Amino acid sequence: MNRLKINVVFQALALLFCFYFFLFSVATVVSAKIVFRMDGDLYVMNDNGSGKRRLTDAPTTDDAHPRWSPDGQYIAFRRGMAKRSAVFFEVFIINADGDPSPQRLTHNNIFEDYPAWSPDGQHIAFERSDEVHVIDIATRAVKQLTFAETHEHDGSIVPDWSPDGSQITFERFLSFRDPKGGGFVGKRIYVMDADGQHQRPLQPLRKIDENIMQFEPRFSADGQRVLFNDCKWIDDNVKCRLSFANLGGVAHVIEDLYNRFGDNFLISYASWMQNDRAILFAMKRLDKPDPNYDIYRYTFDTRKIRRLTDDPRDEKNPDWTEGALSVSPHGKMTTRWAEIKTYGIDRERR
């Protein structure tokens, strides 16, 4: 009889262990999520492409360029709206659990776009009228960081914050004069201190003998590299290479993408994920009938490319978070986000 009781107890404990292990496994799988845009609304899904869920549903607006807050609890994005015959963009924040009433941060009825959180969650860098600004979320105070002071500088957009909060990278339009006459506009990735000082190119400027356009910079989790799309226009042909570069260093092309697909694709909004072990991006395969953007991930260790979505509609602007942590985005943080990570809590354009 005692042996029977013991067996029953052990079986119950085994079932209980399996139950808690299952719950822990599920929590682990879904703790990291991807946010992206489809048909003018925002969606979230798990790392493997499962669990897709709509986050915004506003038929008269156009939501794009979502970015997770450092704690994974909020998402900043730009919302396109119409007033009379004009269309304008504003910056919003929404709870990641799908609160139907997003919080509007800007009210200027102009073009404000490309929000990016500071590592402490207290500020958001964004574009306003082709220049980089920063807004204090608590006070709504806005500071302009870049200025078109010369005819060679035609504007700065698409900011991204370094993990330690000390620097911001961004796109800068530059005008160049051709020695043979005429001129053209290029674009380079720049870096500056978080207060707007010491603005300098990510890489030494190359000889200007062709149109060079660099898009969508993203700092790596270690703060040492910047991921960007590097394109060259030669006559009527364009050649783009998804690349990353150390500050002040040469670019390294992610060759596996081009070895596999050639030049028969376009990439939009690539970002790092999994502590720089992988990248996430939207890609349009031009060699397919009726091509559209799907979301892919590329893992550096395995060199595998995996498609995460297959909807016939465009799925774009993906951004990744490692999951919710006990860090407040509203001024209660006493430890930098980068320090927490260190200790192992480890277009198509508009």
Side-chain angles (χ1 to χ4, degrees), residues 67-76 93-96 117 329-330:
R67 294 292 300 272
W68 289 99
S69 63
D71 64 0
Q73 296 183 27
Y74 300 89
I75 295 167
I93 295 176
I94 191 171
N95 291 340
W117 296 83
H330 295 299

Side-chain angles (χ1 to χ4, degrees), residues 4-25:
L4 178 61
K5 289 182 178 179
I6 291 173
N7 288 337
V8 170
V9 170
F10 272 113
Q11 290 176 5
L13 289 174
L15 288 173
L16 190 62
F17 173 81
C18 291
F19 175 74
Y20 280 109
F21 179 78
F22 171 77
L23 288 181
F24 176 78
S25 299

Side-chain angles (χ1 to χ4, degrees), residues 229-230 240-243 253-265 267 305:
N229 209 356
D230 197 347
C240 296
R241 290 293 181 266
L242 187 61
S243 308
V253 177
I254 303 176
E255 296 285 2
D256 284 342
L257 299 177
Y258 306 94
N259 292 338
R260 178 166 174 178
F261 300 118
D263 284 309
N264 294 315
F265 66 95
I267 283 182
I305 303 169

